[in-house]
Amino acid sequence: MCPSGETHVDRIFTVLEHDIVSGQLAMGSKLGEELLASRFGVSRGPLREALRRLEGRGLVIRTAHAGVRVVALSRKALLELYEIRELLEGLAARLAARNMSEEEVASLRALLDEDLNSGLRSDAYPLVFGDADFHYRIAEGSKSVRLKQLLCGDLYSLIRLCRFKTAHVPGQMQSFRDHMRIIEAIEDRDEALAEFLMSRHISAARARFLTTPFNEASDAVDSLKEAGFA
Amino acid sequence: MCPSGETHVDRIFTVLEHDIVSGQLAMGSKLGEELLASRFGVSRGPLREALRRLEGRGLVIRTAHAGVRVVALSRKALLELYEIRELLEGLAARLAARNMSEEEVASLRALLDEDLNSGLRSDAYPLVFGDADFHYRIAEGSKSVRLKQLLCGDLYSLIRLCRFKTAHVPGQMQSFRDHMRIIEAIEDRDEALAEFLMSRHISAARARFLTTPFNEASDAVDSLKEAGFA
DNA sequence: ATTGATTATTTTGTCAACAATCGAGATGTG
DNA sequence: CACATCTCGATTGTTGACAAAATAATCAAT
């Protein structure tokens, strides 16, 4: 029933995590236990445990006797995430310039060159994925397990959760040029420059986000909180 | 049976979290379900859910059909944590200098003055608590809920987990002087200085940690990992 | 005596049923 | 008509039992 070690909880956790960070489950959605359990073809027990794991990672919020909902990130929370990510991605770039193997550097360079050829003509969608991949590899290359876990597992997930709404079409070219400069710094093993460029890269993304209208429901959440209802 | 909203899972989670970060549960300890369930006077269901929450927060590690153990932090992992905390605590100090209310600043100042009077004569133990309280208030004063959650909930917990072993008796006076300088910077609303001082404060702690012999079992874990057994 | 396979026991994973709690709609009252 | 209360339905919290897997113990063979 459980092929090769993977338990039901693991499977459900993975699927739900993906559905949340990919935006298929809207922020604030209620996750009824009975419904989800039947959808996954399991009992409520394993499902609840998977939800508890998501709760521990801050992707869902459970209120006693009321059920669990997908976390609703307010504009303020998003800005906090960007502020943190600005520092941590910078650190990752610095460590990557120090610790990445030559093979990893070459592979990343190849990835960027490929994006340059295929991504320029078309829409922004492949660039979004390319962007995710780029940052993922930097985190990987930092050789810091905890840092990679923080950036890829927690922070980046939550940001991507909202990125799908705020189309960041403007600035995609600038973003790509940032990436090019960053990998040049890494190739030169210039730690300080890599950190600076990456920090500024995130800072620019935050600034771009700051100017977006942000017509989301989370604004309503903010209003409620400010009014003292939550 | 459940007085006012707090469910069994919440209670167990809180107790276990405290027991882990306070060192009462040694790193790598196995947490048998049946035993713990009887100790808490509940069934295995809620206990497992609490463990799943801890798993999501990275405080325990579960291997399928083998049980859950308290996370064993290697020396390398500790250093990674210090590296991250250096940046994040600096950010917290900068934001605290910007966002802390006058009351919070005054209260923090009072706390330090009190420590100065009561803590100088005696052993280092109250200073450890004072240190935790100091950093907690800075994180709180940053007014960034995510940052506070990261520092207090995850990073600081894990570091305190090992702090109890590495007696940081040397440098306690220097640490206290650092705190004094930091609050002065916050009182002056000098964001850059507060960030710099706090970063250096953590950096010094890391350097101190780096020179400790570290006679722990996690070294064995490191050796095993390097040998490719895990 | 050590190694290997095999059984036994313990521990974990899952399930279905029960109890407790909350929310919505109905009902009665000012 | 507004408002408070009550009842009922639905959802969550908890439990004990059962199935599956892994560790521990047993024993035979070299």
Side-chain angles (χ1 to χ4, degrees):
Chain A
M1 207 179 202
C2 296
S4 90
E6 186 168 63
T7 178
H8 281 165
V9 181
D10 296 328
R11 181 173 53 92
I12 298 173
F13 173 81
T14 305
V15 172
L16 282 183
E17 178 190 36
H18 175 269
D19 285 357
I20 290 178
V21 303
S22 72
Q24 297 188 242
L25 269 58
M27 300 194 308
S29 307
K30 178 169 181 185
L31 301 179
E33 297 182 356
E34 204 122 22
L35 175 66
L36 276 182
S38 66
R39 251 177 58 63
F40 282 107
V42 297
S43 176
R44 276 181 48 214
L47 180 84
R48 281 174 63 89
E49 293 188 19
L51 289 179
R52 288 293 189 184
R53 255 178 87 178
L54 291 171
E55 183 186 2
R57 290 206 26 187
L59 286 177
V60 303
I61 292 183
R62 167 166 239 135
T63 45
H65 304 110
V68 354
R69 315 187 82 91
V70 178
V71 66
L73 286 182
S74 65
R75 185 186 189 81
K76 178 170 173 296
L78 251 296
L79 285 176
E80 291 177 7
L81 277 180
Y82 270 108
E83 233 165 1
I84 294 171
R85 209 159 78 91
E86 182 175 331
L87 293 173
L88 259 37
E89 293 264 9
L91 172 62
R94 168 157 46 102
L95 293 178
R98 185 188 309 167
N99 297 325
M100 261 181 127
S101 72
E102 293 298 335
E103 290 75 21
E104 285 174 312
V105 176
S107 167
L108 186 53
R109 159 65 70 180
L111 177 75
L112 280 193
D113 287 342
E114 179 184 328
D115 280 358
L116 179 62
N117 293 334
S118 74
L120 274 187
R121 45 151 183 73
S122 63
D123 42 6
Y125 210 64
L127 201 64
V128 175
F129 274 161
D131 184 71
D133 204 0
F134 178 79
H135 288 279
Y136 178 87
R137 293 202 189 195
I138 299 282
E140 180 79 37
S142 76
K143 297 289 187 296
S144 169
V145 183
R146 176 71 51 170
L147 185 56
K148 182 198 161 197
Q149 175 186 323
L150 265 177
L151 283 176
C152 301
D154 291 328
L155 302 182
Y156 206 63
S157 304
L158 290 174
I159 289 191
R160 274 184 54 180
L161 196 156
C162 298
R163 263 271 204 80
F164 277 73
K165 312 291 178 67
T166 81
H168 72 313
V169 183
Q172 58 174 316
M173 199 53 217
Q174 180 61 43
S175 175
F176 185 78
R177 289 181 60 183
D178 284 351
H179 287 190
M180 290 298 272
R181 289 209 190 94
I182 289 171
I183 192 169
E184 280 173 19
I186 290 179
E187 286 168 340
D188 292 344
R189 304 296 180 183
D190 190 335
E191 299 184 14
L193 182 59
E195 176 168 21
F196 170 80
L197 289 175
M198 180 64 94
S199 270
R200 210 183 50 173
H201 177 58
I202 305 296
S203 179
R206 181 183 55 181
R208 237 176 299 144
F209 165 75
L210 226 141
T211 64
T212 58
F214 203 70
N215 52 349
E216 306 220 16
S218 33
D219 271 338
V221 177
D222 260 355
S223 311
L224 285 180
K225 281 197 176 176
E226 285 166 9
F229 285 99
Chain B
M1 207 178 201
C2 296
S4 91
E6 186 168 62
T7 178
H8 281 164
V9 180
D10 297 327
R11 181 173 55 90
I12 297 174
F13 173 81
T14 305
V15 172
L16 281 183
E17 179 191 35
H18 175 269
D19 284 359
I20 290 178
V21 303
S22 72
Q24 296 187 244
L25 269 60
M27 302 193 308
S29 306
K30 179 169 182 183
L31 302 180
E33 298 182 356
E34 203 120 20
L35 175 66
L36 277 183
S38 67
R39 255 176 57 66
F40 281 108
V42 297
S43 177
R44 274 180 50 214
L47 179 83
R48 281 174 63 89
E49 293 188 18
L51 288 179
R52 289 292 189 185
R53 259 179 84 179
L54 291 170
E55 183 186 1
R57 291 207 27 188
L59 286 178
V60 302
I61 292 183
R62 166 166 238 135
T63 45
H65 305 107
V68 353
R69 314 186 82 91
V70 178
V71 66
L73 286 182
S74 66
R75 184 188 191 80
K76 177 168 174 298
L78 252 295
L79 285 176
E80 291 177 6
L81 276 180
Y82 269 109
E83 233 163 3
I84 294 171
R85 209 159 79 90
E86 182 175 331
L87 293 173
L88 260 35
E89 292 264 10
L91 172 62
R94 167 155 49 98
L95 292 178
R98 185 189 309 167
N99 297 325
M100 262 181 126
S101 73
E102 293 297 334
E103 291 76 20
E104 285 174 312
V105 176
S107 168
L108 186 53
R109 159 65 72 179
L111 177 75
L112 279 192
D113 288 342
E114 181 185 326
D115 280 357
L116 180 62
N117 294 334
S118 74
L120 275 187
R121 45 152 183 72
S122 63
D123 42 6
Y125 210 65
L127 200 64
V128 175
F129 273 161
D131 183 71
D133 204 0
F134 179 78
H135 288 276
Y136 178 86
R137 293 201 190 196
I138 299 284
E140 179 80 38
S142 75
K143 297 290 185 298
S144 169
V145 289
R146 176 71 51 172
L147 185 56
K148 183 197 159 198
Q149 176 187 323
L150 265 177
L151 284 176
C152 301
D154 292 326
L155 303 181
Y156 207 64
S157 304
L158 289 175
I159 289 192
R160 274 184 56 180
L161 195 156
C162 299
R163 265 271 204 78
F164 276 75
K165 311 291 177 66
T166 82
H168 72 315
V169 184
Q172 58 174 318
M173 198 54 216
Q174 181 60 43
S175 174
F176 185 77
R177 291 180 61 182
D178 284 351
H179 288 188
M180 290 299 272
R181 289 210 190 93
I182 290 170
I183 192 172
E184 279 172 21
I186 290 179
E187 284 169 341
D188 292 344
R189 304 298 181 182
D190 189 335
E191 298 183 15
L193 182 58
E195 177 168 20
F196 170 81
L197 289 175
M198 181 64 94
S199 270
R200 209 184 51 174
H201 177 57
I202 305 295
S203 178
R206 181 182 55 178
R208 239 176 297 144
F209 165 75
L210 229 144
T211 64
T212 58
F214 203 70
N215 51 348
E216 307 220 15
S218 33
D219 270 339
V221 177
D222 260 357
S223 310
L224 284 180
K225 281 197 177 175
E226 285 167 9
F229 285 100

